[in-house]
Amino acid sequence: MKIQQTDVLVIGGGLAGQRTAVATRRRGLDTVILSLVPAKRSHSVAAQGGMQASLGNCAKGAGDNEDVHFEDTVRGSDWGCDQIVARMFCHMAPKAVRELAAWGVAWNRVAKGDREVVINGQKVVISEADAAHGLITARDFGGTKKWRTCHTSDGTGHAMLYAVSDRVIGEGIPVLERQEALALIHDGERCHGAVVRDLITGELSVFLARATVVATGGYGRLWGVSTNALINEGMGAALALETGVARLANMEAVQFHPTAIVPAGILVTEGCRGDGGLLLDADGHRFMPDYEPDKKELASRDVVSRRMAEHMRKGKGVRSPYGDHLWLDITGLGAAHIDRNLREVKDICQYFLGIDPARQPIPVRPTQHYSMGGIRTDYRGQSPWLAGLFACGEAACWDLHGFNRLGGNSVAETVVAGMLIGEYVADFCASPEGDLNFSTALARECLEREQASLAAMAAGRGGEDGVAIRRRMEAILTDSVGLFRNGPALESAVAELADLYRRSQRLAMANHGLDANPQLVQAYRLPRMLKLALTVAMGALARTESRGAHFREDFPARNDRDWLNRSLACWRGGEDLPRLDHEVLDVMFMELPPGFRGYGERNIIDHPHTALRQADVDDFREGETDRHKRQTHMMAFKQYLPVQYRGRNERLDERFS
Amino acid sequence: MNNAPPAPRPSPFSPFRRTSPWPARLDLLQSGSGLFLGLFMWAHMGFVSTILISPDAFWTVARFFEGYFIFGRPYPGLVSLVVALVFAVLVLHAFLALRKFPGDWTQYTVFWRHAGRLGHGDTRLWLLQVATGFAMFFLAPVHLYQMLVHPELIGPWESADRVWSGGFWPLYLVLLLAVELHGGVGLYRLAVKWIGFRDPASARRRLLFLKWGMTVFFLVLGLFSLAAYVKLGMDHADQAGERYRPVGVWNAPVQETRT
Amino acid sequence: MGRRLTLTVFRHNPREASSRPGTRDYVLDETPGMTLFVALGRIRDEQDPGLNFDFVCRAGVCGSCAMLINGRPGLACRTLTAALPERISLFPLPGFELIGDLSVNTGKWMRAMSERLRAWLHDAGDADPDRLEAPMEPATAEAIYELERCIECGCCVAGCGTAQMRPDFVGAVGLNKIARFHLDPRDVRSDADFYEVVGDDSGVFGCMSLLGCQDVCPKGLSLQTQIAWLRRTLARQGW
């Protein structure tokens, strides 16, 4: 049995995992990263438009600060997020951007003087201050009050991932590529590492670690058409679920991005609309102002996606062999702007659609994009049910995003969470709890179990067709657990997924190899994906309200009275279905009590405490003029941050002396 | 159990690993010697081709390089000096270029396969350069040695006799092809090697056009000149060895005819 | 429309003693807008579940799926079959360790290259993330991003005769990285430091300017420009 020991085992080589690893390495801990693919090929690379951080450097970002970012984030989440975490995040985001600037990200900068931009379809001249010249600029994104999205052209994720990966290489942190964790080693209370499969040789080994960090991204590939990379099959969340003790949260909170190209499902950035792009229907009519006269194309993603779907249901979609779609028109931005700031979009249009976006509109349709749900953790990133198991980034439900994530908050979350959770992991390792008292027997047992299971799968004695099961799962989720959901459809979805799950354990195999064998990989991932699909569908079925991206046609109201909570899913060993319960979000601790987001008609069943808390908060606001002190009165959060990150953020209008 | 910490990495500013300045020098020398040889060959072709104007014209050029029009009498040793210089540069260039040659059979086959499947002009041109360069290892020294020891035998009849009666024409034909192809590709390569073009695609298109234009021009010029020497050599075969007396140059020195 | 494609695909499992390198033909009907990603996916789903290949983003941004497409290195995910003849040959990217069939280990090569070239930004280490960031000229930032767009797909290495012949050559990907850090005012290294990592025949002076890199780079990076510039800059270190 091959056993490797390390202090910190990071599963997942994207931005969140790698940034965590840098933090723990710098704290002197042996850190190893496992990655399905070379780290620079992780899905973080696909983030295009940018990362939100309230620097307030550019003219349209002036006056921005953590408070404004916080409000946008909480509203965006439809009050489903953890407000402490949101506060920590908004406080950290400027530091993260600045750190990345020092690490080499070539953020686009403010150029002083006048420049022409497109806002609401009109050309407008804005004037940038001399003092801001050369500082990091920002673009507009949906659901935000200020221009806050820092970017490098439309390759922000690429630039960030390369900077962080390069830093990992510079720190000498090993990234073990093409390695897949198959199971977490645990004793029901403490996680001790993972059983890992080499995707090239098929060899299994054991990694024992004081802390295990899951940073494997989302589960978007459960839907057949998704903007996600093919590796985003939710395997990290499935590992946690299969422990039987750790829990997943808000799995039904799944974001659909308004603009993925048809049919390939490849994302074109929200920056297209942020920079002035418009959504048009089959008649060439700009329809968003009809639905959302205030924010129009730049409403929150869940709202825009739903409005688009609604509009297509009215027969206003453009017919195509691949189903209806709408148009994203960025021709008004001009070729020069597209060449400079939307070049990935241009490439995608050229290679996958054969069109020039400076001259032709882009066919788009809302498409699965982001998993707000994931492994439930506390603010330290640790599972409350399994010590030593941490999660961060999209794989986690740290709960920054609640039921809808703002564009630009996800890449920001990856690095911020990496910075913070890396420190907490290091603190954990330094504490008595962090000592590793493992038993090799436990490790051997776990490894042998996986080995036997793989051997049985490779033998392939069942008769089920894995490809067909997978396609069916994708179809069920797309049809019944998509933008619009309802009770009967969800019930039949759960029933059928449960059946598929049973069948997925008896797959036929044409290829019996135990090494690089794509069919074997499919065979062990498919049942796990179906487990996740069941947590998603059951979560959606249970949640009889509409919140953020979770929209129930049979329960269109947001119901704070009964559903201001977080869904939790746990899958006990030997059971056929996951168990659900719910964790309450306490209004009385909220800095921003639940309110109306301002989209469509107000349709909210209020929580009885909302008015009380609102009165408290209003009192605090009245009584204090200093925004920092006021904030501390309402909801103190800095005590949760590592000491070195508690400092205020300097801005042009908040200069340090 | 394997508990290997990440290996310590040498500091990027380690004082112990000062690298040699020689790779830079060698690269510059290879390019510089190539540039010199390439330009020299074009000029050389210009001089040689004056035979197409008239034997007198070529005679005048030849004597010019012997300092005849400065000192009043020819010093063939001057030509030997130039030849020695060119020879030395050629040896240097060949020595440096050898570094780039495929080193063993594997490298040959790898490159050959690569060039075959890629279908890429610039890559194929390099194979041409290797082949012609290799040919010149053997062809150029023959000619150069001749010029080094008998610089005085450069003249309309003298050269023509060497080409025809001396049986040098096949060597010159192959050498001509090798030199012009090698030099043209080499000079093009120098441009793309050292000049950072703002728009590499269009710059290369223009450079390649220019390169092929020059190659064709000098090849045609060279072939005509060689034909002229062959013709002259055939006509003069009976008197092979006789020194040329210019017709139209009024104060031409009388030279002894060697027997 | 309605073409029937024949894909001749390289098959080999280097870990299996009985496996011999060879090719296998797959026939399938072309569909509108079909890319090689779609085609290979269908082959795996319908004809040969054991076929190895690498796709991750399938959107042309991650660099996983580079392979030889009719002899030329390119990204399979964004290559439309309509742009190819009816017979398509697919081979793994040469110059990298073969994992199986069309899958090669570019990641390992790239990491080794990065370590050897110390291809990470060497900053002064004094930035305080609480304070305003150091200003940078907007044009400089854009110029750096131009070079940063490399996706480490390995096409330039597969398209480079020098790299094919000499496995220790860092390739355009490595030289472009050095050019990128050299351009960056935040990097404190001097020409001499950069010379130390690429100032030899496995670095910038090994480049024979065959320009295969420039011609196959899927991101259209100005590799010729960068290498020429680097050569001029570092040649000065000879004196």
Side-chain angles (χ1 to χ4, degrees), chain A residues 219-226 254 256 368 474 477-478 481-482 536:
Chain A
Y219 43 91
R221 278 285 148 191
L222 302 186
W223 284 259
V225 182
S226 165
V254 177
F256 286 73
Q368 195 288 340
E474 294 169 353
L477 289 181
T478 305
V481 202
V536 176

Side-chain angles (χ1 to χ4, degrees), chain A residues 37-38 40-41 45-46 55 57 94-95 98-111 133-136 152-155 158-159 162-163 166-170 172-175 177-178 200-201 221 226-231 264-266 322 340 343-344 347-348 351-352 467 471 510-511 515-519 644 647-652 655-657, chain C residues 11 13 15-16 31-35 37 41 44-45 48-65 77-80 97-100 103-108 110-111 114-115 119-123 127-138 140-142 144-146 148-154 177 180-181 184 186 218-219:
Chain A
V37 295
K40 283 176 180 166
R41 315 222 187 284
V45 86
L55 299 178
N57 290 327
K95 300 183 202 304
R98 287 169 177 164
E99 179 183 81
L100 289 171
W103 288 7
V105 174
W107 299 112
N108 282 123
R109 303 286 172 147
V110 179
H133 184 77
L135 298 178
I136 296 167
T152 51
S153 183
D154 61 348
H158 171 91
Y162 272 55
D166 285 348
R167 187 59 45 163
V168 161
I169 296 170
I173 301 168
V175 180
E177 295 168 358
R178 296 177 187 268
I200 299 176
T201 63
R221 278 285 148 191
S226 165
T227 64
N228 283 197
L230 305 176
I231 49 175
I266 296 167
Y322 303 102
R340 270 236 315 272
R343 37 190 321 168
E344 293 301 332
D347 268 12
I348 288 166
Y351 285 103
F352 294 94
V467 174
R471 296 287 168 260
N511 235 51
D515 68 339
N517 173 2
Q519 204 181 14
Q644 72 267 36
R648 291 184 185 176
N649 295 308
E650 188 177 34
R651 290 186 181 78
L652 282 174
R655 292 302 292 262
F656 291 176
S657 50
Chain C
R11 297 296 317 265
N13 178 352
R15 289 166 305 282
E16 205 167 279
T31 52
M34 182 185 253
T35 58
F37 163 66
R44 182 140 94 187
D45 280 357
D48 189 348
L51 180 63
N52 270 296
F53 48 75
D54 293 322
F55 289 101
V56 178
C57 75
R58 60 86 178 83
V61 296
C62 79
S64 299
C65 63
C77 73
R78 67 173 204 191
T79 300
L80 293 164
E97 186 181 299
L98 180 70
I99 290 172
S103 172
V104 292
N105 206 335
T106 47
K108 187 174 168 185
M110 294 294 166
R111 168 94 186 204
S114 277
E115 288 180 355
W120 58 89
L121 190 99
H122 290 57
D123 62 319
D128 177 353
D130 290 352
R131 310 209 60 137
L132 286 188
E133 62 278 10
M136 178 188 275
E137 270 307 305
T140 306
E142 286 179 21
I144 294 169
Y145 178 65
E146 256 331 284
E148 177 99 351
R149 292 177 66 242
C150 167
I151 55 172
E152 296 190 4
C153 60
K177 276 183 194 297
R180 178 248 176 272
F181 291 118
D184 197 323
R186 295 166 294 195
K219 289 283 144 182

Side-chain angles (χ1 to χ4, degrees), chain B residues 17 19-20 22-24 26-27 99-100 107, chain C residues 109 112-113 116-117 157 160 162-176 178 194-208 227 230-231 234:
Chain B
R17 258 203 67 213
T19 34
S20 159
W22 277 102
L26 296 183
D27 196 57
R99 298 177 306 145
K100 306 290 177 186
Q107 292 192 353
Chain C
W109 194 100
M113 178 273 295
R116 195 174 119 203
L117 299 191
V157 175
C160 172
T162 312
Q164 290 303 304
M165 215 163 42
R166 307 183 202 285
D168 64 339
F169 181 57
V170 298
V173 54
L175 297 176
N176 179 67
I178 295 300
F194 289 118
Y195 184 85
E196 203 172 306
V197 287
V198 291
D200 60 18
D201 280 356
S202 63
V204 69
F205 301 122
C207 166
M208 305 197 294
I227 297 172
L230 199 62
R231 188 188 289 271
L234 296 187

Side-chain angles (χ1 to χ4, degrees), chain B residues 131-216:
Chain B
T132 52
F134 189 72
M136 282 192 289
F137 281 145
F138 309 100
L139 302 177
V142 179
H143 173 60
L144 280 165
Y145 187 73
Q146 178 99 24
M147 295 299 103
L148 187 70
V149 296
H150 288 305
E152 74 284 359
L153 291 185
I154 301 175
W157 287 350
E158 297 87 335
S159 296
D161 288 344
R162 187 168 60 248
V163 167
W164 181 250
S165 301
F168 263 71
W169 66 267
L171 181 133
Y172 282 160
L173 183 63
V174 180
L175 187 58
L176 171 71
L177 284 168
V179 164
E180 292 311 333
L181 290 172
H182 190 93
V185 178
L187 290 173
Y188 160 76
R189 194 82 71 200
L190 277 182
V192 295
K193 194 175 262 198
W194 292 96
I195 306 172
F197 297 106
R198 196 176 291 274
D199 178 1
S202 76
R204 268 167 72 204
R205 260 198 311 279
R206 270 175 283 153
L207 272 176
L208 276 170
F209 184 76
L210 187 70
K211 176 205 107 59
W212 281 116
M214 296 297 270
T215 302
V216 168

